[in-house]
Amino acid sequence: MKHSALRLIICCLSTALSITASAQVGAYTENMPVDEYGNLIDNNVFGNDSTKHHNEEIPLGMHVWKVNRFGDVIPTTPDTLPHTYRNTIFTEGYRGDYNTLGNSGSPRINRIFADRRTNGDFIFIHPYDFFVQSPTEFHFTNTFSPITNLSYNSCGNKQDGEDNLKALFAINVNKRLGGGFKFEYLYDRGYYANQSTSHFQFSPWLSYLGDRYEMHFLFSTNNQKVSENGGILDDNYITHPENYSSFNENEIPVALSQNWNRNKNQHIFFTHRYKVGFRKKVPMTEEEIKMRKFAIASKKEHERQEREEQLRKEGINTDVPIIEARPDDAKIMGNLPEEGNKDNDRIKVDDSNIDSLKNITTVGEDTTWMKDIFVPVTSFIHTLDWNFYDRIYQAYASPRDYYLNPPRYRAETDSIFDSTQHYNVKNTFAIALLEGFNKYAKAGLKIFASHELRHFALPDETAHQHSYNENSLNIGAQISKTQGRTLHFDIIGDLAIAGDYAGEFSVMGQGDLNFRLWNDSVQFVARASVENRLPSFYYRRYYSKFFAWENSLDKEMHTKIEGEFGINRTRTRLRVAVDNITNYTYLAQSYMRSTDGQKATNVWVEQASNNISVFTLQLLQDFRLGILNWENALTLQKSTDDDALPLPTFNAYSNLYINFNIRKVLDINFGFDVRYFTEYYAPDYSPALGSFTTQNGDNRVKTGNYPWINVYADFFLKHARFFVMYSHVNKGMFNKNYFLTPHYPTNSAVLRFGVSWNFFN
């Protein structure tokens, strides 16, 4: 039933997007009327017949960018590489750096500590950062013509398979105003009992990039539903299957049934600015000159077609050249030459009234191939960031003695309905002195102030919701340099001066230096940050049926220094990072476990009393020899406290493939990749909190020291990317310890396929 529904969704989306795209007119389509500067003539834009000139080539191309919290445009590149598409389907990440519960759409946590991100107070949504995207990571798009992208990947069957459908649509009204939406639906039935996941996302967006006014608007609604099985009760079903008679994966006993985590969240991000500046003329680039010449020719051709159409309506044969007679009273534009006004025997003409393409502003200066640009000096910025979260943990029945603590309410039943809500509203106001408005403005400067309201709702002893409000008033400044080729930097700091978070501060900076060394391009990137933050509200206060705490926690101080060195010719990137954390705050979990079930489960908050340091060394090295390619990512890391912050010492990803082309049309990659990490006490998972925890007690187990190998074939044909993959092909060849999270085995060998298709109109 659900498989049929998914097919219906795909068909409906394809039809709707195709109809919408074909009905719209692209901002840069070559058959549209444009002036001599290449600007779209707005007269009756949407009244033009989109069926005309259907033999003309559709213009392809787009500009993609991200924005920061101030709405600054940060150019980026879209995901178009064929050999990266196949790995985007994995919740474990492109290189498999994340621990998950084994199936797609399940919660995850990064094994590389230097890459972990903090995502706000609502800790229950952190494990879904692959699905709930930060506004600063969203790709805004400006298109030459309407673009539709449909992506679909699948594996398995109706009982245990996975399906993931994505759709992206982008269109421009003109070269400044554009919009679109992103849609995603993920449904994983799960190869083990009670393990299904179902996620839905819809994100429309709008952008306007004018000379004086800029605006970005993003709305996102997300739903995540995860069925919790608590892990398998006996790991020997995986590590020593020979001890048991024949069984299917979904027949392995699990700890929980009829348990679900549901997260619903909505987000609004709106940033806009007004710029004050001046206009000036600058020379065009060769490409702009070419575009203007094309625009002039396009305009003349459009006018000629309109004249012919009008003459045809009047019954005049347009196949015969029409010679218009000059009226008897016609005059030559400009003053007549005066007798004797000569220079080297040439007649001089007063050109003050001549109407031509030349715009002569000063004597002897030809501005035909110059353009008029707006140079912004100061910007006034406002950003609204609104987020709403609603979480429910629901269980119809819980095993006897599964929890250590007695129930806080509704003791007469073993069912659970824990809920909490959170929203935060943040307004930021900034004034920016922009970089590059004159030769002395080598960097941009911002000063800003922000206010944030954080609201939380939790059940009290009677299971009724109780509300808590917290406020924060911050001030800060930023200095940045983004122009030029050699040196760029960005330094920003903020301080909470009032409210419940007074005294919090952060200073973050990054810079890159680009230079030539032995005829090669070399880049050095440095990053540093110091953050002093109060731990999440849910670490300080939380109430549910079986877990409850009120903690007085100190601020957490996190200092990080990172450097990255890259050489383009050798395809080498070396990264070194050092993290130091004071008052590291985390969740801990303990329980007793046997083949009869799990008992005495308890979760609590810990705050490390000592400083914890983490050292990270990462090497990205790619090789290429003819059609043979070998890509590698090798990471070494060490934590000074493996109990509070356990990390694998070594993490590796390697991808070996051949790349070849058939008749210069079909591009093919064929190869295999491997993911591996050393043994360590990996983070455990608490279904009741939907969060990862450290392992405590006598039931700690290690995961790792096992390779996951995928064999694949990638294909790229014009605007389509597709792949066929046999994932975890090595199941049963090694020690069979294929766990990422304790007691949660990954899927066994699975045949997968996927396609991503771009449509232009």
Side-chain angles (χ1 to χ4, degrees), residues 165-208:
L165 172 65
K166 297 180 182 179
L168 172 69
F169 177 69
I171 189 172
N172 269 67
V173 177
N174 53 46
K175 67 179 183 179
R176 301 187 185 279
L177 178 62
F181 67 83
K182 186 176 75 169
F183 167 87
E184 182 173 0
Y185 175 69
L186 186 154
Y187 182 62
D188 186 335
R189 299 158 187 83
Y191 283 82
Y192 301 90
N194 309 323
Q195 201 189 28
S196 64
T197 61
S198 177
H199 301 334
F200 173 85
Q201 179 189 85
F202 180 68
S203 301
W205 56 270
L206 193 67
S207 67
Y208 179 83

Side-chain angles (χ1 to χ4, degrees), residues 91 93 98-100 105-110 115-119 123-134 137 182 199 201 224 692:
T91 306
Y98 290 82
N99 287 352
T100 72
S106 64
R108 72 178 190 177
I109 186 171
N110 203 320
D115 292 331
R116 289 187 187 176
R117 296 177 293 177
T118 55
N119 301 309
I123 61 174
F124 313 104
I125 207 69
H126 294 179
Y128 301 97
D129 60 351
F130 62 93
F131 197 81
V132 181
Q133 190 176 36
S134 166
E137 295 298 321
K182 186 176 75 169
H199 301 334
Q201 179 189 85
Q224 301 92 43
F692 286 91

